[in-house]
Amino acid sequence: MNCLSPSILSADLTKLGEQVRTLDDLGAAYFHVDIMDGMFVPNISFGFPIVKAVRSLTEKVVDVHMMVEDPGRYIDVCAEAGADIITVHYEACRHLDAVINHIKQVGAMASVAINPATPVSVLSCILDQVDMVLVMTVNPGYGGQKLIPYTVDKVRELKKISDSSRNSFDIEVDGGVNTENAGMLLDAGANIIVTGSALFRGDLEENTTQFLNILEE
Ligand code: DX5
Ligand code: ZN
């Protein structure tokens, strides 16, 4: 199934409740929460209190993207805050297998992310263990960047692997996704579409409807 995962990094935090409810009512299936530590990525966003707030506002899937060094330190607190999916970066984990197992132990869906310059091949040993792979289509850290075209080849590569392996996993794309390129990303094999600035800039309801129509096509 194709799902929209609005990135609340671009939401108006003074109206978070209102905006989450609007998106929920219109049909967003996931809510993407970006946690940044100022180390793995240059920026600092917000932490688990915001995950908790989003959890209290919706029954939909809370999709937490940890852009954090050594994210294994925060799996318990992230799950307690209400995350349904926990994504950790391949580049940030010294013991990726242990971290993925830890995420499963706490009852969340386990997901691994790769930066634009990280090849798919480094995930070959872990793909049987994950529920989702997040392909970063920009360098992580900031909303509002332009999609890097070569990252789309990695979506195609992962889709092929998912289709031919016993463990099929979801493929999420994150960064620079807009109504112009979303269709192309779905064609490449992505099924979870994260979008921040393209959704929250301008008319939220109109933009959401446009994205959802593309996802249904
Ligand atoms: C970037 C974050 C994204 C970000 C996407 O590092 O992981 O989730 O919010 O924002 P847009 O859609 O504006 O690129
Ligand atoms: Zn993200």
Side-chain angles (χ1 to χ4, degrees):
M1 203 180 62
N2 295 334
C3 297
L4 187 66
S5 192
S7 170
I8 61 141
L9 186 65
S10 292
D12 178 348
L13 291 183
T14 67
K15 296 183 190 153
L16 183 62
E18 198 184 301
Q19 295 195 326
V20 168
R21 275 186 212 105
T22 301
L23 288 159
D24 192 332
D25 289 348
L26 288 171
Y30 287 27
F31 285 90
H32 187 83
V33 185
D34 288 303
I35 300 188
M36 303 180 188
D37 67 351
M39 291 294 286
F40 180 68
V41 289
N43 198 11
I44 295 178
S45 56
F46 33 62
F48 302 107
I50 296 287
V51 176
K52 213 169 169 183
V54 173
R55 173 75 294 155
S56 72
L57 290 165
T58 181
E59 300 282 300
K60 304 285 181 69
V61 175
V62 176
D63 167 25
V64 178
H65 179 191
M66 305 258 274
M67 282 162 278
V68 171
E69 281 294 352
D70 195 6
R73 297 174 292 161
Y74 300 107
I75 303 307
D76 292 329
V77 65
C78 188
E80 275 157 30
D84 296 301
I85 302 177
I86 302 178
T87 297
V88 294
H89 269 261
Y90 163 81
E91 302 86 356
C93 294
R94 192 167 289 173
H95 299 288
L96 183 61
D97 178 81
V99 176
I100 293 295
N101 281 315
H102 190 168
I103 297 173
K104 290 182 182 168
Q105 265 162 25
V106 297
M109 285 165 75
S111 161
V112 62
I114 47 173
N115 283 336
T118 303
V120 167
S121 56
V122 298
L123 300 179
S124 62
C125 294
I126 204 75
L127 287 177
D128 271 350
Q129 317 293 324
V130 297
D131 298 293
M132 184 171 93
V133 178
L134 190 170
V135 177
M136 283 308 304
T137 40
V138 299
N139 287 298
Y142 300 94
Q145 304 179 76
K146 247 179 105 93
L147 180 138
I148 300 169
Y150 73 76
T151 60
V152 183
D153 294 336
K154 297 198 291 180
V155 175
R156 288 194 194 95
E157 198 181 336
L158 280 161
K159 174 66 175 157
K160 256 196 203 160
I161 297 171
S162 174
D163 283 348
S164 63
S165 75
R166 57 198 155 93
N167 177 52
S168 71
F169 45 83
D170 289 321
I171 301 173
E172 181 173 65
V173 282
D174 183 12
V177 181
N178 54 40
T179 51
E180 261 98 75
N181 59 25
M184 175 270 290
L185 290 161
L186 292 168
D187 288 346
N191 67 317
I192 318 281
I193 299 286
V194 177
T195 175
S197 51
L199 188 74
F200 288 95
R201 204 186 298 133
D203 187 317
L204 181 60
E205 296 195 23
E206 207 175 291
N207 294 340
T208 307
T209 309
Q210 263 193 47
F211 269 107
L212 289 171
N213 285 340
I214 296 167
L215 264 76
E216 271 168 29
E217 271 167 20

